[in-house]
């Protein structure tokens, strides 16, 4: 995907790299770390994020081969501007011990089936519900934010063994979750392309 990078973004990345050396990260990990930091202006994400380069490589290939992208809320979808996403929150209802967010994940899974990339930046209960499904995801970007359930749901994601991008702290949110997906979306698929 060729994209025109605005001079403000170029300068922002220059300043980020002047304050933090990211050159030791493998290519896709570096792309995710830098884009997340850029989205939040928070250098601590460099040590807070948890991911595996080989999982990112497989997810990158799946994304560029057209795998569906599912998001937990419209705010995450709004941050992913160069790809259609599935968000079923408007159709979801709370009940039977399920939050609306958890029900939306069930509805989305019924729609897309296995192999999707899941981007959760808002609701820990959405991430918890995804972990109960046999979703066989290409990747789970699990970056819900908050003081109730966020840390625990992200720890459960890491313990699940699913291919994932998560973080250790309470931090997260729609902007950083969409930034992590965009890092994979914008990263070149061939050496000739520029990010």
């Amino acid at each position: 995907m060729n994209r025109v990078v605005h001079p403000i973004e170029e300068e922002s990345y220059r300043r980020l790299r002047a304050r933090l050396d990211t050159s030791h990260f493998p290519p896709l990990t570096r792309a995710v770390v830098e884009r997340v930091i850029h989205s939040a202006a928070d250098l601590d994400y460099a040590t807070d994020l948890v991911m595996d380069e080989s999982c990112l490589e497989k997810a990158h290939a799946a994304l560029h081969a057209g795998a569906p992208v599912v998001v937990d809320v419209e705010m995450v979808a709004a941050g992913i501007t160069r790809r259609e996403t599935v968000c079923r929150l408007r159709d979801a209802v709370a009940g039977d011990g399920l939050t609306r967010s958890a029900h939306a994940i069930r509805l989305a899974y019924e729609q897309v089936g296995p192999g999707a990339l899941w981007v959760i930046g808002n609701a820990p209960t959405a991430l918890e519900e995804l972990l109960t499904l046999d979703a066989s995801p290409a990747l789970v970007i699990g970056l819900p934010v908050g003081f109730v359930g966020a840390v625990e749901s992200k720890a459960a994601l890491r313990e699940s063994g699913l291919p994932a991008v998560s973080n250790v702290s309470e931090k997260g949110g729609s902007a950083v979750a969409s930034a992590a997906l965009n890092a994979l979306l914008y990263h070149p698929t061939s050496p000739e392309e520029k990010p």
Side-chain angles (χ1 to χ4, degrees), residues 14-161:
R14 187 195 67 73
R15 291 183 188 192
L16 182 161
R17 290 173 183 142
R19 293 178 62 186
L20 178 70
D21 181 9
T22 59
S23 64
H24 62 285
F25 289 117
L28 289 168
T29 300
R30 181 181 185 185
V32 172
V33 167
E34 287 184 349
R35 192 151 293 278
V36 166
I37 289 172
H38 177 260
S39 73
D42 186 344
L43 297 173
D44 289 341
Y45 274 110
T47 56
D48 193 41
L49 288 165
V50 178
M51 66 198 96
D52 175 77
E53 184 73 7
S54 64
C55 290
L56 294 179
E57 289 169 355
K58 292 172 187 166
H60 181 260
L63 179 64
H64 289 277
V69 176
V70 180
V71 300
D72 64 332
V73 293
E74 293 291 339
M75 285 183 66
V76 173
I80 302 169
T81 58
R82 296 182 181 262
R83 183 67 183 267
E84 292 295 317
T85 62
V86 173
C87 181
R88 298 296 303 273
L89 191 59
R90 290 183 185 194
D91 304 318
V93 294
D96 285 339
L98 278 184
T99 64
R100 253 181 90 219
S101 295
H103 185 229
I105 294 301
R106 282 189 186 180
L107 294 173
Y109 179 65
E110 289 170 7
Q111 179 179 338
V112 303
L117 287 89
W118 295 79
V119 188
I120 298 174
N122 185 63
T125 59
L127 182 52
E128 291 165 0
E129 183 62 24
L130 178 60
L131 295 177
T132 69
L133 303 175
D134 188 20
S136 300
L139 184 70
V140 179
I141 296 174
L143 295 169
V145 63
F147 295 109
V148 178
V151 168
E152 295 82 359
S153 66
K154 292 180 274 193
L157 172 61
R158 290 189 299 279
E159 291 166 10
S160 74

